[in-house]
Amino acid sequence: MSFFLELVANGVAVGGVYALIALGFVLIYKATSIINFATGEFMMIGAYFFYTFMVLLGLPAVPAFILVMACSALLGLVVERAILRHMLGQPTISIIMVTIGLSSILLGLAELIWTSDFKSFPPLFPRAPVIIGEVVIRSNFFWGFIIAMAAVAAFALLFKYAKVGVAMRATADDQMAAFSMGINVRSMFTVAWAMGAIAAALGGLIIGNIGGIQPNLGHLGLTIFPVVILGGLDSIAGAVVGGFIVGIVENLAGGYLHDYVRGDVKELAPFVVLVLILLIKPYGLFGKQEIERL
Amino acid sequence: MRIGDYKVSYAADEAVFRSGTVRFWLGALFVGLAVFPFLAGDYLLYMANLTGIAIVAAVGLNILTGAAGQISLGHAAFVGIGAYTAALLITRLGLPFLLCLPLAGLSAAFFGVIVGAPSMRMKGLYLCIATLAAQVIFEYVFKNWDGLTGGIRGINVPPPSILGFSLNNEFRFYFVTAPVVIIVVTAARNLFRTRVGRAFIAIRDRDFSAELMGISLFRYKLYAFALSSFLAGVAGCLWVNFIKIVTPEHFPLHESIRYLAMIIVGGLGSVLGSIFGAIFMTIVPEVLKSALNLVSAVSPKAMAFLSPLQTVVFGLLIVVFLVFEPHGLAEMWRRVKNYFRLWPFEH
Amino acid sequence: MSLLAVEDLSLSFGGLRVLSEVSLEAAQGQILAIIGPNGAGKTSILNCIGGFYRPQHGRILFEGRDITRLSPDRRAALGLARTFQNIALYRGMTVLDNIKLGAHAHLRTGLLGGLMYWGPAQREEMALRQEVEEEIIDFLEIESIRKLPVAALAYGLQKRVELARALAMRPRVLLMDEPVAGMNAEETEDMARFILDIKEERGLTVVLIEHDMNVIMDISDYVVVVNFGQKIAEGAPDQVQAHPEVIKAYLGQKRAGA
């Protein structure tokens, strides 16, 4: 029983981080309808930013953290202005491919700048594992989860109450209507990209703190697809629920199936769940089929 | 030089080779393809074989994604299925190479239909993610079903032979690759002269109205999946017989993305574009390598930057083409051709 | 007997009732016009007949046969052709290929035949080209644009190409959604003439939606008026024009004493 609880607890902890990264995807999709395949690379670059400020430049953790957010926002802004703005109204495949191209550029640049050697952060949190009842959670997981949840909550509040959040939701709902209400739709796109990049970068920072960083860290970004399909592409709450489910499924599969199934079941399991869901509901668990007109 | 377009019958207008000029250049191309292996060295022949194999796979993907508009992130997995099928048929059953070509294609097409059929109801992003899942799952199977696929060690195959004539080097293998490419390209071009090709494009452009035009979406999407994975399978069979080993590392997600990049750089929905794209995306990394080789004479560390630089350039090509030339090299080629059609009397 | 009959058609999306118990009939060789204010459900009727929407209630009969459950592509093969309010041509193809596409259901070439393009497949394409040229392109006077990509055409011409594509479907019934909307006077006149010719020379039945009352009065044999998803009047064009319900629907209800 305690084995089960431990798997679930760790699943929840990792799931919280997935939720944050998925949020980086959802924020962009919600406002711009762009599917960002480079979310994983935004995450990886964010982790390297933190490494640069803390290890290479020797800044304390808190200023480094703030600088990571600023730099990631800038990265999102530049990407939107330089590339995505030219892709408005293009077919889905072009938009998907342009973000895939972007992910390749970011990956290559990271290797050029930081080399492909393994890097890690100095310890940020007390080493002692956190013990809740019978369950033992590694300290990096626990604190990562806390930071991720705080960030998700902050984004959710921003989206719901702040003026810019309301404008973004309006843009997501109906671009033409938002435009005619005097909302600067284009600047909303930029804001969405900046916020998406920040969310992904924070996720990367937490993951990097748990397992160290390498340029191919971005591959983890693929896991967000099961998360967003589960949770619905444009729902913040869905991203959180989806993140938890994927985190738990992954850990349970890894814990119980490990002895029976070869290879990395942990990575496979979310995709199997994804396929099952798409077979039953081709538009995702919470997605809605739109009424088509002729 | 060729001016105007005078035809006296619809048959002449529909003819496969529309004019003497086209016949001339096509003839020249065939002569060039036939003479090439006698002039080129091993390295060029090696590249030519790889390019040819990539063309076969890219034509397949372009039918599915470019023409019929169904995005696939799992094309490399189908190439892999073809490669594993061929390797198993050869090593376990001892089937001849030529028989393996269609069988590998059929095997991949079978799995293509299995993935495609439930995907009928999905569109755009959802389909894209479903094929991504297929890629991940097939890759997992390649890696972990040791009994069948040999796990990460893979399967070695002996050099193929046709009627006792061994195809054990680049030069000899070229005479298999080139005809297969010609057949595949011709067949794909043919398809787009008929109702099947038109139906694909109709589904891509407006799927609902296509149905009201009498096109069964289910049947034609399935055709597109089957045909695309068949060609992937054939490419896989060529590949394993050329390289003589197959391992899971050869068919990662990145390889699927590379095929997508080929058809985007070459031109979505254009058979000619698939050829251009496959050639271009095979040559560019080699050009980069040579360039860095030159630089490394001056600064010896330059080669260390090769891999990341290739990654950056790969991404840049995709982005730059999508932003500035979304119809790819095929469109650039068409413009050049039109310019010369009336040259030097363009005014 | 009517060629096409719609009986008690009801359609709703979620809680939104789009059509309630609409019935109409079109006889062989008749031009039936459906009119009504925007949002009255006219296009939804065509969508139900074509099979794009599935009505919750009611039947659609074609030559006496119930086709309510048939898929759109099977209906197209039976002879129901459609043109669209917002042009739905295939922008990636030339005019000629767009028109040829219309004949899809009547061609036999399969996947293998297409790949080989030998014998039957080639002959079929030649015959199709000849048919399209002689029966459709000449008739609609679009010889000069046949090789152009449709995206390059002016709006009025695109509408004409859509009609050409519908004719290539060898239809028995032509469903036209606002064929002259957005056209200038000359284009409108051409289109009205084509529709009349189609009826008279080819004996086709035409069901059309239109806002241009002059066109309706000139070419239609019978008019059905819908408002808020219900049929409110029907009859010969001049009868309908004078119908009080119709005037009310179009001009709004007069307030007493106003």
Side-chain angles (χ1 to χ4, degrees):
Chain A
M1 189 62 199
S2 73
F3 181 56
F4 174 78
L5 284 179
E6 208 157 299
L7 289 175
V8 170
N10 279 301
V12 168
V14 175
V17 186
Y18 286 163
L20 177 58
I21 300 165
L23 186 68
F25 175 94
V26 168
L27 285 172
I28 291 171
Y29 183 80
K30 208 170 160 73
T32 67
S33 307
I34 285 172
I35 299 134
N36 183 14
F37 266 82
T39 309
E41 276 65 28
F42 275 53
M43 185 183 110
M44 176 267 296
I45 295 276
Y48 272 113
F49 280 153
F50 192 70
Y51 170 80
T52 308
F53 292 127
M54 225 185 140
V55 179
L56 299 182
L57 302 179
L59 295 179
V62 174
F65 186 81
I66 292 167
L67 278 174
V68 167
M69 297 214 282
C71 289
S72 304
L74 193 67
L75 177 67
L77 184 141
V78 168
V79 162
E80 198 275 331
R81 288 281 163 93
I83 302 176
L84 274 309
R85 186 153 287 193
H86 304 283
M87 301 301 296
L88 282 176
Q90 295 286 322
T92 316
I93 167 140
S94 305
I95 290 178
I96 289 176
M97 277 310 287
V98 93
T99 64
I100 287 178
L102 175 65
S103 74
S104 185
I105 296 174
L106 293 176
L107 172 64
L109 285 178
E111 275 180 45
L112 283 176
I113 299 171
W114 291 288
T115 75
S116 47
D117 299 338
F118 182 83
K119 302 270 187 338
S120 60
F121 303 151
L124 297 174
F125 306 112
R127 289 217 163 206
V130 177
I131 300 170
I132 305 168
E134 290 176 65
V135 177
V136 182
I137 305 172
R138 276 170 57 195
S139 113
N140 282 344
F141 275 76
F142 178 80
W143 292 107
F145 173 75
I146 300 291
I147 295 175
M149 283 299 99
V152 169
F155 277 115
L157 290 176
L158 190 71
F159 217 62
K160 189 137 198 192
Y161 297 111
K163 197 174 161 196
V164 66
V166 175
M168 273 176 77
R169 273 192 293 153
T171 308
D173 211 41
D174 188 338
Q175 288 182 5
M176 281 312 285
F179 187 70
S180 64
M181 293 307 287
I183 292 170
N184 187 338
V185 171
R186 292 201 150 182
S187 72
M188 281 310 120
F189 289 178
T190 316
V191 171
W193 272 88
M195 283 170 57
I198 292 177
L202 293 181
L205 199 154
I206 298 168
I207 299 267
N209 186 47
I210 292 173
I213 48 178
Q214 261 183 314
N216 62 14
L217 186 69
H219 285 313
L220 208 72
L222 288 182
T223 315
I224 61 167
F225 289 109
V227 174
V228 294
I229 290 288
L230 267 162
L233 293 171
D234 55 358
S235 154
I236 293 178
V240 176
V241 175
F244 285 142
I245 295 177
V246 168
I248 293 169
V249 164
E250 222 184 57
N251 268 279
L252 288 180
Y256 286 111
L257 299 179
H258 188 71
D259 297 338
Y260 308 105
V261 187
R262 318 182 117 268
D264 211 343
V265 207
K266 224 173 153 178
E267 274 174 31
L268 184 72
F271 284 95
V272 173
V273 174
L274 166 81
V275 168
L276 293 177
I277 288 170
L278 283 179
L279 282 179
I280 302 159
K281 300 207 63 167
Y283 289 86
L285 211 50
F286 298 113
K288 48 181 183 282
Q289 185 174 8
E290 288 182 10
I291 297 172
E292 307 273 353
R293 288 171 181 278
L294 275 175
Chain B
M1 188 189 72
R2 146 173 194 231
I3 294 177
D5 208 359
Y6 303 104
K7 306 218 176 62
V8 287
S9 74
Y10 299 131
D13 201 30
E14 292 276 333
V16 176
F17 308 114
R18 291 207 179 143
S19 69
T21 329
V22 174
R23 270 197 294 271
F24 172 77
W25 286 112
L26 222 58
L29 178 68
F30 278 123
V31 172
L33 284 176
V35 173
F36 172 78
F38 297 97
L39 304 177
D42 282 352
Y43 173 71
L44 269 185
L45 276 167
Y46 175 80
M47 293 312 292
N49 275 301
L50 281 189
T51 309
I53 296 166
I55 290 174
V56 174
V59 167
L61 183 63
N62 218 344
I63 288 173
L64 179 68
T65 301
Q70 311 297 306
I71 307 168
S72 171
L73 275 173
H75 202 59
F78 294 109
V79 178
I81 289 172
Y84 276 105
T85 306
L88 288 171
L89 291 177
I90 289 166
T91 54
R92 301 240 172 134
L93 302 180
L95 292 188
F97 169 56
L98 277 188
L99 187 61
C100 286
L101 272 178
L103 288 180
L106 286 177
S107 152
F110 173 75
F111 285 101
V113 167
I114 287 189
V115 172
S119 308
M120 290 302 128
R121 296 191 296 160
M122 298 171 208
K123 285 170 77 170
L125 172 66
Y126 291 95
L127 178 65
C128 180
I129 292 177
T131 56
L132 170 69
Q135 166 78 37
V136 171
I137 292 170
F138 281 126
E139 224 180 293
Y140 175 86
V141 173
F142 294 157
K143 215 177 284 177
N144 293 297
W145 193 351
D146 282 13
L148 194 69
T149 66
I152 48 170
R153 281 171 293 107
I155 305 172
N156 290 290
V157 297
S161 62
I162 294 175
L163 301 173
F165 185 78
S166 175
L167 305 167
N168 54 2
N169 62 29
E170 288 86 3
F171 175 79
R172 292 177 172 187
F173 204 82
Y174 178 89
F175 291 96
V176 176
T177 310
V180 171
V181 169
I182 291 169
I183 292 169
V184 165
V185 167
T186 312
R189 290 287 294 235
N190 284 344
L191 194 66
F192 288 96
R193 295 172 201 283
T194 67
R195 71 164 185 160
V196 184
R198 288 193 295 268
F200 285 162
I201 296 173
I203 289 173
R204 174 194 69 193
D205 283 1
R206 284 169 197 273
D207 52 355
F208 289 114
S209 80
E211 211 175 4
L212 293 172
M213 294 296 130
I215 296 165
S216 160
L217 292 187
F218 184 79
R219 168 180 296 192
Y220 280 90
K221 282 186 186 177
L222 217 52
Y223 277 179
F225 268 101
L227 187 56
S228 144
S229 38
F230 179 85
L231 292 179
V234 169
C237 176
L238 285 175
W239 194 88
V240 70
N241 279 289
F242 182 59
I243 303 289
K244 299 188 198 69
I245 183 172
V246 51
T247 75
E249 276 158 38
H250 293 125
F251 312 103
L253 174 63
H254 183 262
E255 187 68 7
S256 288
I257 292 173
R258 211 170 67 91
Y259 290 123
L260 280 170
M262 285 177 197
I263 65 173
I264 279 175
V265 168
L268 282 173
S270 151
V271 176
L272 193 63
S274 323
I275 302 174
F276 287 156
I279 296 174
F280 193 76
M281 296 311 274
T282 316
I283 287 177
V284 167
E286 295 301 311
V287 171
L288 266 178
K289 202 194 238 167
S290 318
L292 278 186
N293 249 326
L294 289 180
V295 177
S296 67
V298 188
S299 83
K301 274 190 182 165
M303 280 320 263
F305 295 116
L306 177 62
S307 157
L309 215 55
Q310 282 177 341
T311 313
V312 173
V313 169
F314 175 77
L316 270 178
L317 280 175
I318 297 175
V319 171
V320 165
F321 266 92
L322 280 171
V323 172
F324 295 106
E325 189 63 80
H327 299 291
L329 292 167
E331 174 65 21
M332 292 165 90
W333 166 252
R334 202 186 58 80
R335 280 204 299 268
V336 170
K337 219 169 58 176
N338 278 348
Y339 176 78
F340 281 107
R341 169 168 295 179
L342 298 178
W343 187 86
F345 302 114
E346 64 261 49
H347 295 300
Chain C
M1 190 190 71
S2 59
L3 183 64
L4 178 74
V6 170
E7 292 176 356
D8 292 331
L9 206 59
S10 295
L11 174 74
S12 44
F13 293 114
L16 182 68
R17 187 118 186 166
V18 182
L19 296 173
S20 21
E21 290 166 16
V22 175
S23 298
L24 48 86
E25 281 186 28
Q28 174 79 46
Q30 192 184 42
I31 296 182
L32 171 75
I34 303 174
I35 64 170
N38 286 321
K42 304 184 296 293
T43 300
S44 293
I45 298 178
L46 289 200
N47 282 342
C48 286
I49 297 175
F52 183 60
Y53 289 163
R54 287 289 158 93
Q56 277 80 15
H57 187 257
R59 295 198 305 165
I60 295 151
L61 301 173
F62 180 70
E63 293 185 306
R65 176 182 168 193
D66 188 345
I67 59 166
T68 320
R69 299 269 147 237
L70 230 50
S71 66
D73 54 298
R74 304 275 302 282
R75 297 187 205 201
L78 284 179
L80 286 171
R82 168 83 186 264
T83 70
F84 302 87
Q85 182 181 356
N86 308 309
I87 294 165
L89 290 169
Y90 305 108
R91 301 175 67 84
M93 290 195 257
T94 61
V95 169
L96 193 56
D97 276 345
N98 262 282
I99 301 173
K100 281 179 177 174
L101 184 107
H104 182 89
H106 302 288
L107 304 179
R108 295 278 74 88
T109 301
L111 190 56
L112 285 179
L115 288 168
M116 293 194 283
Y117 196 55
W118 195 257
Q122 206 165 0
R123 280 197 297 276
E124 184 174 77
E125 279 302 309
M126 291 307 156
L128 173 63
R129 175 73 190 270
Q130 185 150 10
E131 177 194 323
V132 163
E133 290 281 350
E134 289 168 3
E135 307 276 321
I136 298 166
I137 292 186
D138 285 356
F139 171 66
L140 293 174
E141 299 155 18
I142 46 178
E143 295 88 346
S144 59
I145 58 165
R146 55 161 100 85
K147 289 285 176 71
L148 295 179
V150 288
L153 299 180
Y155 180 80
L157 278 178
Q158 292 199 18
K159 284 245 169 197
R160 206 184 282 187
V161 174
E162 256 208 337
L163 176 59
R165 184 180 63 183
L167 287 179
M169 296 172 73
R170 300 181 200 163
R172 307 281 311 281
V173 176
L174 197 54
L175 307 166
M176 305 185 80
D177 197 347
E178 305 201 10
V180 305
M183 286 186 169
N184 64 31
E186 191 189 342
E187 287 168 336
T188 302
E189 203 174 299
D190 281 344
M191 183 58 87
R193 178 166 55 85
F194 288 134
I195 296 173
L196 275 178
D197 284 351
I198 287 165
K199 171 193 149 183
E200 279 158 17
E201 290 173 17
R202 308 184 178 209
L204 288 190
T205 304
V206 180
V207 177
L208 61 86
I209 293 174
E210 196 38 74
H211 283 295
D212 187 323
M213 286 313 256
N214 293 327
V215 172
I216 302 276
M217 292 305 139
D218 284 350
I219 68 172
S220 57
D221 301 309
Y222 198 78
V223 180
V224 169
V225 190
V226 285
N227 196 15
F228 297 115
Q230 282 173 315
K231 183 166 76 178
I232 57 171
E234 63 186 311
D238 44 349
Q239 281 175 321
V240 165
Q241 204 174 19
H243 197 289
E245 283 287 330
V246 177
I247 294 168
K248 201 169 81 183
Y250 268 82
L251 302 177
Q253 193 162 7
K254 276 189 200 152
R255 267 197 243 146

